[in-house]
């Protein structure tokens, strides 16, 4: 999720697929050797090149001859739809959130510019919703800074309604906390409000609207605030840094602003250590389940856990952040989804809060 | 919940009642001495033999003479229904889940057979639902194995729709992960798919459908996968091993496939250490509250917790497993229920996710 | 929440405002020096005395000249309503829960009297609901005792329906556990039932109805049971002791029996250590988020955590209790609310599970 300057997501898909090296379909995990980082063949097309019958040669995983075939048509439609959903993954949609936000240091202060915008957002192919968001993205761009840095953020309101921005998890001075009428006036349409604070504490935090927030956050006014610790040794080592931002309101059930099959798969090379930063900006608790690998959870709301723990299902409540390391020590396309099954699969196949970690 | 070969549940009820030794009713905890393990008298009949007025002789727990009696009829119906529910507990229903599944070791591989079936399931007395399940049971049978063992499971699909089986929490190879179209073809009606994996990691895991899963798991296609650690010293010591499998979909709000009063009480002798394995196969988070005793939680998703903790209310999210020890150091019938009160009690009395731990 | 003998809440509001010393509004945190503990000026009036334009003199927090003003009327109504809600905080309502319950030690037994009552309860200004509650309060009065003390509680039922009282988290003998028909007869209208138990374990516990409980607890039959440890060194040090009791049923979304803006703000002097005892008596899980400060969580269901952790969002499930220390080391009015945004803010402004911690 570190794709920069690629609003259509084309680059993201291309690099993700390039990183694959493993395509899994039809009962078979096929090591697709020799594919380069430039490979742009969609997963669905590559899948078609592998005969499902190849699976029959496996010791396990074989399909025995049917000894009875009850109502063979009853399930055909479901399967066709379900297969099409998976083969479409990762599906192309316009717009990509979580682009890196540029900043400049001016007289010792790191400065960022955010705009509050209204736009159409394509959540799944062909489904456009009326979004509110920062800098035209859902989720908003990634803001990166270092613990102790002085930060200035100019927030320009291009909405047709007032707003205010809260730095969720940050220990700002009260007048920078972003709660209209309690700590500041609203930011009116056309106005710019300048927030200043010292980045503290470090870790995985969020920024989002704190005004008419059920609507504004629900529609996408949210983004990640990633604060590197001054002492880097507080974090475990990792090779990749990924975001898992959950929402469940006006855009439906989404991961990083998209619903399956338009969610972007995560990728890792065998043996890499991936840091996942889970953030829930929705209204429902989402127990995120990763198949085949282990989550080593080491921070909660940015604070290092005194007793890090392992799990495969991490319950993320609204407003919470959790950081985990996954050691990508097993190849394959590992499903990664909310285990509230109604957020992940309908009779027409998988949708919503579903993605995969593809280890090649 | 280790009842084997007893589809009607008669044996389970009989042995549970035999283990009682304590019947609690009418404000009185009565030590019923001399009852043998064969005693098959229902709790309701035994309760009737104890005069409620006996409670009056207690120092505490007495009912003082009413000094005012507002609307004495307003609550009569509720009480009659509520009392009937408790007196019916444990109520007889057809079918018992969680029977031990037989396995055979063939050339070093432990082999199991599962069938995917459609059948009527009696959730509470007289209430039959259209279930999907493994081996005709809800939850499916208990699969026991040891960490590091090679496992082969033949899954025969007798449903009128396709399916796939996921080994939730297990680190299988990707082509054995059970996600149709992503890692294997669907198992069509009449077909058998053979899964192979090495049992790892140890602990409390689950198997369930991962295809049309909202419907299939909701209807009962789920069961426990219990993997003993090679090094038994990783577990705390315990005398009994019990399952608490939660579901909240087509069969209503259930524990181990049944709703109160058809839930089976857990039993323990005074001083015994009982291991409870909580598993949530539903779509809602269920905070399970045990009265009068303490849960000592030592594992999460099978992984030993670095800092085991105590509680009396354990919030179990969909897909999560938690293991706890309860030291049965206080006699009585201890209510054990979801603390979302709407999952446990209506104006017509207790129902759904309610059972008891009876310490004798 | 230690207000005693003040059913109208007047005293609570007065002392809270007196403790302020900081009024925050209009983008400005103003140290209001010289205000005494007697100051009774409502927050809304004091806010009006500070010109919003004063904010413009700040380095940050200034409002730049609008360069565009799209649909200036679209947001006017929302803002007027939202501002009125905040300015009304803390709004006056009749009735205050959580008054200290008097007890007497008689022959070595600490005795309390509870009554179960039906009454109108003002949740927000002008909104009265049909409540059930203990001693005419929602939540019921605070019961304080010491670990190991023998306790006697006379529960008089003035309702027009039967009831029973459960000591949630306490290890009482089974016949004192308060589950009608399982451990005692119901307490009929007009009757008094006397409970006796030895206070154990220490920590933050609850009492509530365990009969027709969805209705009775939903309507307010709940209260805190606070048990001091014999060995006071098990607790971290703290200067203030506060309750955060959550409910979400018949009275709507409430903290300590009131909805915003009628919730009482918490107050602390700069540097004070405040113990918050979170208790969920509702049917939904509530992730409580405190702005600008850190929650140091040290106990769960009364049991000291072996590995206390820090966070800013604490997910509290029904039936759970969590204890945390907040060091009030930053001045201001810190919003404190459920992060399920639909429990905290509507298009008409903040409501429900919203309060503030005001550090002066």
């Amino acid at each position: 999720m570190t794709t920069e300057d690629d609003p259509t997501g084309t680059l993201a898909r291309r690099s993700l697929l390039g990183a694959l090296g493993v395509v899994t379909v039809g009962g078979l995990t096929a090591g697709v050797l020799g594919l380069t980082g430039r490979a742009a063949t969609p997963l669905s097309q590559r899948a078609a090149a592998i005969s499902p019958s190849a699976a029959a040669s496996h010791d396990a995983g074989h399909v025995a001859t049917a000894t009875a075939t009850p109502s063979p048509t009853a399930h055909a439609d479901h399967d066709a739809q379900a297969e099409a959903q998976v083969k479409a993954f990762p599906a192309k949609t316009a717009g990509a959130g979580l682009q890196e936000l540029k900043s400049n240091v001016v007289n010792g202060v790191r400065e960022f510019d955010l705009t509050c915008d209204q736009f159409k957002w394509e959540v799944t192919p062909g489904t456009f919703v009326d979004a509110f968001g920062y800098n035209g993205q859902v989720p908003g761009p990634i803001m990166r800074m270092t613990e102790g840095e002085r930060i200035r953020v100019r927030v320009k309101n291009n909405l047709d309604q007032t707003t205010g921005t809260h730095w969720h998890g940050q220990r700002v001075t009260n007048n920078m906390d972003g709660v209209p009428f309690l700590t500041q006036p609203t930011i009116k349409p056309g106005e710019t409000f300048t927030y200043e604070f010292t980045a503290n504490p470090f870790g995985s935090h969020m920024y989002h609207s704190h005004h008419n927030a059920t609507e504004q956050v629900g529609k996408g006014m949210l983004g990640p605030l990633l604060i590197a610790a001054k002492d880097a040794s507080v974090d475990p080592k990792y090779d990749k840094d990924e975001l898992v931002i959950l929402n469940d309101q006006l855009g439906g059930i989404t991961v990083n602003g998209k619903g399956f099959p338009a969610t972007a798969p995560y990728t890792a090379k065998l043996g890499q250590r991936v840091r996942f930063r889970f953030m829930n900006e929705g209204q429902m608790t989402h127990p995120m389940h990763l198949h085949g690998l282990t989550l080593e959870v080491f921070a909660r709301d940015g604070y290092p856990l005194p007793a890090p723990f392992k799990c495969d299902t991490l319950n993320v409540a609204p407003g919470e952040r959790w950081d985990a390391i996954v050691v990508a020590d097993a190849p394959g396309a590992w499903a990664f989804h909310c285990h509230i099954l109604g957020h992940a699969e309908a009779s027409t196949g998988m949708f919503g809060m579903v993605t995969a970690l593809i280890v090649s």
Side-chain angles (χ1 to χ4, degrees), chain A:
Chain A
M1 307 299 92
T2 53
T3 309
E4 212 172 333
D5 302 316
D6 179 30
T8 68
T10 310
L11 182 64
R13 249 186 342 276
R14 200 183 299 147
S15 61
L16 288 165
L17 287 165
L20 270 178
V22 167
V23 171
T24 310
V25 73
L28 178 72
T29 299
V32 182
L33 305 173
L35 281 172
T36 74
R38 297 290 121 216
T41 321
L43 189 55
S44 56
Q45 293 174 29
R46 292 162 74 183
I50 303 168
S51 163
S53 65
S57 64
H58 275 237
D59 277 0
H62 64 272
V63 179
T65 307
T67 53
T69 310
S71 13
T73 55
H75 52 88
D77 283 355
H78 168 73
D79 277 18
Q81 290 174 299
E83 183 168 16
Q85 286 285 91
V86 175
K87 290 206 166 162
F89 174 70
K92 178 172 178 158
T93 48
L98 298 177
Q99 298 172 38
E100 295 280 338
L101 185 62
K102 292 200 173 90
S103 61
N104 297 296
V105 177
V106 178
N107 294 331
V109 179
R110 183 173 295 280
E111 295 190 342
F112 295 88
D113 283 280
L114 287 178
T115 56
C116 308
D117 303 315
Q118 293 181 228
F119 48 93
K120 295 281 181 189
W121 187 252
E122 194 176 11
V123 174
T124 53
T127 300
F128 291 83
V129 298
D130 288 312
F132 284 5
Y134 296 102
N135 297 24
Q137 304 167 38
V138 179
I142 298 173
M143 296 177 68
R144 287 189 199 271
M145 51 196 72
T146 299
E147 180 192 5
E149 270 191 317
R150 188 69 186 164
I151 303 300
R152 182 175 295 131
V153 192
R154 286 175 290 263
V155 177
K156 168 84 190 297
N157 182 7
N158 297 326
L159 305 176
D160 64 6
Q161 61 177 247
T162 54
T163 192
T165 311
H166 173 55
W167 314 97
H168 183 102
Q170 284 298 283
R171 304 204 47 192
V172 304
T173 55
N174 197 243
N175 59 339
M176 295 289 111
D177 197 39
V179 185
F181 305 120
L182 188 65
T183 70
Q184 66 165 83
T186 56
I187 313 175
K188 294 190 178 57
E191 287 181 352
T192 295
F193 192 95
T194 302
Y195 291 93
E196 279 196 24
F197 58 93
T198 300
N200 171 51
F202 65 80
S204 299
H205 303 284
M206 310 192 289
Y207 61 92
H208 52 223
S209 165
H210 209 290
H211 183 63
N212 195 17
T214 300
E215 178 183 359
Q216 292 189 3
V217 178
K219 281 186 166 174
M221 295 192 69
L222 56 100
L225 194 64
L226 308 186
I227 303 181
K230 250 194 272 192
D231 172 8
S233 74
V234 299
D235 284 331
K237 298 253 178 276
Y238 54 93
D239 303 301
K240 298 194 77 177
D241 191 0
E242 301 284 4
L243 284 153
V244 186
I245 302 186
L246 310 172
N247 205 349
D248 48 38
Q249 298 301 303
L250 302 180
I253 305 285
T254 57
V255 180
N256 295 342
K258 303 285 176 176
F260 186 85
T263 47
Y266 303 94
T267 62
K269 294 203 172 69
L270 194 64
Q272 279 190 322
R273 296 168 60 85
V274 185
R275 175 184 189 156
F276 285 99
R277 303 178 191 252
F278 296 83
M279 302 182 175
N280 189 338
E281 288 278 19
Q283 298 216 34
M284 293 181 260
T285 297
H286 298 288
M288 293 299 293
H289 175 54
L290 176 61
H291 286 219
L293 300 168
T294 305
L295 294 160
E296 303 177 13
V297 185
F298 67 92
R300 176 180 181 142
D301 294 352
Y303 296 98
L305 283 168
F309 60 86
K310 293 183 182 178
C311 66
D312 54 57
T313 307
L314 184 60
N315 199 35
V316 187
E320 287 185 345
R321 292 89 63 210
W322 294 89
D323 285 76
I325 296 290
V326 171
V327 182
D329 56 6
W334 299 110
F336 190 11
H337 62 93
C338 178
H339 214 280
I340 296 175
L341 299 176
H343 298 176
E345 192 170 32
S347 61
T348 49
M350 293 192 289
F351 78 100
M353 223 169 250
V354 175
T355 181
L357 170 55
I358 299 177
V359 181
S360 61

